Structures are given as structure tokens and as C-alpha cells.
Amino acid sequence: MTLPALHTTGVLYRRILSQFPQDISLAFAYGSGVFKQHGTNQGQMEKNMLDFVFAVDDPVTWHTMNLLQNRKHYSILKLLGPTMISSVQNEHGASVYYNTLVPVDGRIIKYGVISTESLINDLMHWKTLYVAGRLHKPVSIVITGENGKLRAALVANLKSAVTASFLMLPESFTEEDLFLQIAGVSYAGDFRMVIGEDKSKVANIVKDNIQHFRILYSNILRDCPQVVYKPQQGKLEVDKSPEGQFIQLMALPRTLQQKITKLVDPPGKNRDVEEILLQVAQDPDCGAVVQQGNGPKNGVWKTVSYSSKKLIKMWRGWRRKPSVSQMS
């Protein structure tokens, strides 16, 4: 299956990427500077920061080259050298090192660097969902290499988002319901969405980008034996039988399966994962269990500083009172 992603032909993104070391296995642009969000116009988009993620096979070598080309992009960590920067990248948080507020070609950009290996791990297993979650939503692919394992992981990540969303939705729902659920997967239980984040964020992402979500997911939905997909009507019906739900639970990423089993399995019982998921599949509250398992990923203290800067944005979101229902 070919990667159902949005490949940009934008000269701007290619010009920006040309100013970095070229040993990149995947580069994509994302966020409100790339895709229109509800309530913003083109002029506002052009003023927003452009967000990028670069996946690289060898972070030490890449940072060594980038320090030679773009030393001013780095914080004081540049004084410690590329090995320490790569160590900070690989051993903390979501295994992404960000340089932010970087002026390039008349725009302000932020770019994160992640090892290809860490990205594949997140895509396949949802260890942090930090980059995998961004790739559940429309992005503009600027560079994609020939790494077959990475390409397969990108598709697997989209399939996992669909499967998890099926479990959390009712038997019948609309395309928009599905895309809202998918867009909300990476925010579920995120402290920032309770304190300081714009509560209408998920709806704003989806509302003006339905067609982009269709491009990402239509082939997966057509090929999935668990769902009846009616694209002309924009409606779907999913298998909610215990058997169907068990198949979906067994297809979830490993980290989410582990979180679900910890919720359900009493301490000391130590049943195997398959037995526990079979029990969950027969539970009338299966969707709620999956939702809870997909819950908190970020510690309170890690996000307090970030969240305090977002309070005014959330206040504006409340004042707007959007009519589209929010996903938690």
C-alpha cells in the first residue's frame, strides 16, 4: 500500500529544507502555518510559525553538520557539541530535539529532529504518540526516502488511529465524527487540553480539512473488513460484536494494549494480554476502557510551564463557543 500522505509541491518548503543537511529520511511540515484551521484566514496563516519534523538515520552526524551550517539555530546546548545534543534528543521526552523561533527565508520556523529508529518505534507502538499523533492528522510531506520499514510504519500508524477510533465510536457515525475522534486520539488525557490549551483545537483542525483527512484515510477505510464505508453519504458502520471488537483490540499498538490491560487486570493476577482483551471486547463499556487507556501521557509538572502560556488562548476558545462538539 502506498503512503496516503499529502506531498507538497510548495517551493517555499523545499527552499527551507535546502538550507539543512540533506541526510533526512522523512521531513514534513504541519500545524496552523501549513493547514488552514477554522477561524483563521490566509493572512493569519502566513504569519504563523511553520513547524517541521526531520527524521534522520544518524542524529550525531546530522547535528554535527547542522552545527556547521546553522549554529545560530541552537540554544546554549551547542557549546556541549553534537553528541550531547543527540543524547538529550534520544533520552528525554519524546526523543525529539527542537530548535525554535528560527528565521528562514522570510518565515519563522520551528524544527524537531528525531532518529528514524525512534520515529518507527513511535509509529508502530505509540510509545509517546508525540510524532505519531501529529501524523494522524494532515501533514505536508516534503522529503520521503526509500526506507521501506519507515513507509510501512507510517501506514500502520494511520491504521492504528482508525482502529482505536472505531472502538471509541458508536456502531454508526459520520466521516466527521471519525476524523474528530482520530484528531483527538493524541490529545486524549493530555493535561494541556484541560489547562491552557484551546479546547476547540480538535474541531478547528478537522472542520476546514475534511478533504485532507479523506485523502489520508479513504483507502484504509475501503480496505478495512471491520467497517461498511459509504463515502458518498459520508457515513460508516463498524462491527461492534465482541468478535469484531476483539480483532480491533488485538490490532492496537502495543503501548495502548498494555495500558488497557493495566486498567482491567487486578494486581497479582498476571493474565496474558489476549485473555484480558477478550474480556474487554465483551464489556458493554469497551469504548470507555479504550478511551481511558488512551488517557494521560504527560505528567502535570512537565506541562505546567507550557500550559501557563496557553491560558489566554483557551479563554478565547471559550468565548468563541464553537458549535462542533469536542472530543476529549
Side-chain angles (χ1 to χ4, degrees), residues 191 298-307:
F191 182 67
N298 295 310
V300 168
W301 300 113
K302 286 185 179 179
T303 53
V304 160
S305 175
Y306 174 84
S307 295

Side-chain angles (χ1 to χ4, degrees), residues 37 89 98 168 181 191 214-215 257 259 316 326:
Q37 295 187 6
Q89 171 186 314
Y98 269 100
M168 292 184 279
Q181 186 70 61
F191 182 67
R214 285 195 188 112
I215 292 170
Q257 287 182 340
K259 289 180 178 180
R316 289 172 180 161
Q326 304 305 301

Side-chain angles (χ1 to χ4, degrees), residues 36 41 65 78 86 95 131 143 158 196 212 275 284 323:
K36 186 178 184 300
N41 57 41
M65 296 168 65
K78 63 177 172 277
S86 299
S95 299
V131 179
I143 294 174
L158 297 178
H212 290 147
E275 182 183 353
S323 57

Side-chain angles (χ1 to χ4, degrees), residues 27-321:
F28 65 89
Y30 67 94
S32 59
V34 178
F35 291 96
K36 186 178 184 300
Q37 295 187 6
H38 188 62
T40 63
N41 57 41
Q42 189 64 33
Q44 290 171 312
M45 279 183 64
E46 291 174 359
K47 293 177 182 176
N48 288 343
M49 184 159 57
L50 286 173
D51 297 333
F52 292 88
V53 167
F54 306 153
V56 302
D57 291 343
D58 184 345
V60 175
T61 299
W62 195 90
H63 284 298
T64 299
M65 296 168 65
N66 199 42
L67 280 164
L68 291 172
Q69 289 182 229
N70 300 302
R71 190 172 180 81
K72 290 182 179 179
H73 294 182
Y74 288 81
S75 69
I76 197 169
L77 275 180
K78 63 177 172 277
L79 300 177
L80 302 178
T83 301
M84 181 58 71
I85 290 170
S86 299
S87 176
V88 170
Q89 171 186 314
N90 292 326
E91 296 173 16
H92 297 85
S95 299
V96 187
Y97 180 90
Y98 269 100
N99 284 326
T100 189
L101 298 175
V102 176
V104 180
D105 244 41
R107 295 292 296 267
I108 300 298
I109 76 165
K110 173 179 74 178
Y111 64 94
V113 182
I114 185 171
S115 74
T116 306
E117 182 182 1
S118 294
L119 175 56
I120 291 171
N121 187 46
D122 198 34
L123 292 168
M124 294 300 297
H125 305 303
W126 289 10
K127 183 178 178 182
T128 70
L129 255 185
Y130 189 83
V131 179
R134 276 155 178 72
L135 286 161
H136 291 166
K137 299 174 275 289
V139 302
S140 282
I141 301 288
V142 188
I143 294 174
T144 179
E146 300 302 318
N147 187 322
K149 191 174 179 182
L150 175 56
R151 286 172 171 265
L154 287 162
V155 175
N157 180 50
L158 297 178
K159 290 181 177 179
S160 294
V162 168
T163 301
S165 297
F166 282 171
L167 286 160
M168 292 184 279
L169 286 163
E171 186 174 4
S172 301
F173 48 90
T174 66
E175 274 185 324
E176 185 170 353
D177 292 333
L178 174 63
F179 299 150
L180 284 166
Q181 186 70 61
I182 287 171
V185 164
S186 58
Y187 295 119
D190 192 328
F191 182 67
R192 293 173 300 167
M193 294 301 284
V194 179
I195 301 294
E197 193 72 48
D198 183 351
K199 298 276 287 195
S200 59
K201 186 181 183 81
V202 172
N204 288 346
I205 290 169
V206 173
K207 192 172 180 65
D208 287 346
N209 292 291
I210 294 287
Q211 187 56 37
H212 290 147
F213 275 92
R214 285 195 188 112
I215 292 170
L216 275 181
Y217 290 103
S218 60
N219 287 342
I220 290 172
L221 294 173
R222 287 193 182 97
D223 294 343
C224 179
Q226 303 282 296
V227 70
V228 177
Y229 178 37
K230 304 172 183 176
Q232 298 303 318
Q233 295 100 322
K235 295 182 178 179
L236 303 96
E237 297 172 13
V238 70
D239 184 357
K240 283 290 178 180
S241 68
E243 295 81 5
Q245 293 192 139
F246 179 63
I247 291 170
Q248 293 159 26
L249 288 163
M250 289 297 291
L252 291 175
R254 184 176 63 204
T255 301
L256 182 50
Q257 287 182 340
Q258 290 170 343
K259 289 180 178 180
I260 292 169
T261 57
K262 284 181 182 178
L263 283 173
V264 175
D265 202 32
K269 202 165 183 183
N270 296 323
R271 294 180 296 166
D272 64 39
V273 171
E274 188 171 342
E275 182 183 353
I276 295 166
L277 295 182
L278 183 59
Q279 175 190 329
V280 174
Q282 299 173 71
D283 189 330
D285 294 323
C286 174
V289 174
V290 175
Q291 185 83 45
Q292 191 176 352
N294 190 50
K297 295 176 289 296
N298 295 310
V300 168
W301 300 113
K302 286 185 179 179
T303 53
V304 160
S305 175
Y306 174 84
S307 295
S308 65
K309 298 172 186 176
K310 291 282 190 172
L311 285 170
I312 192 167
K313 192 174 182 184
M314 182 173 71
W315 171 248
R316 289 172 180 161
W318 280 339
R319 291 182 67 187
R320 281 198 297 271
K321 296 181 180 178

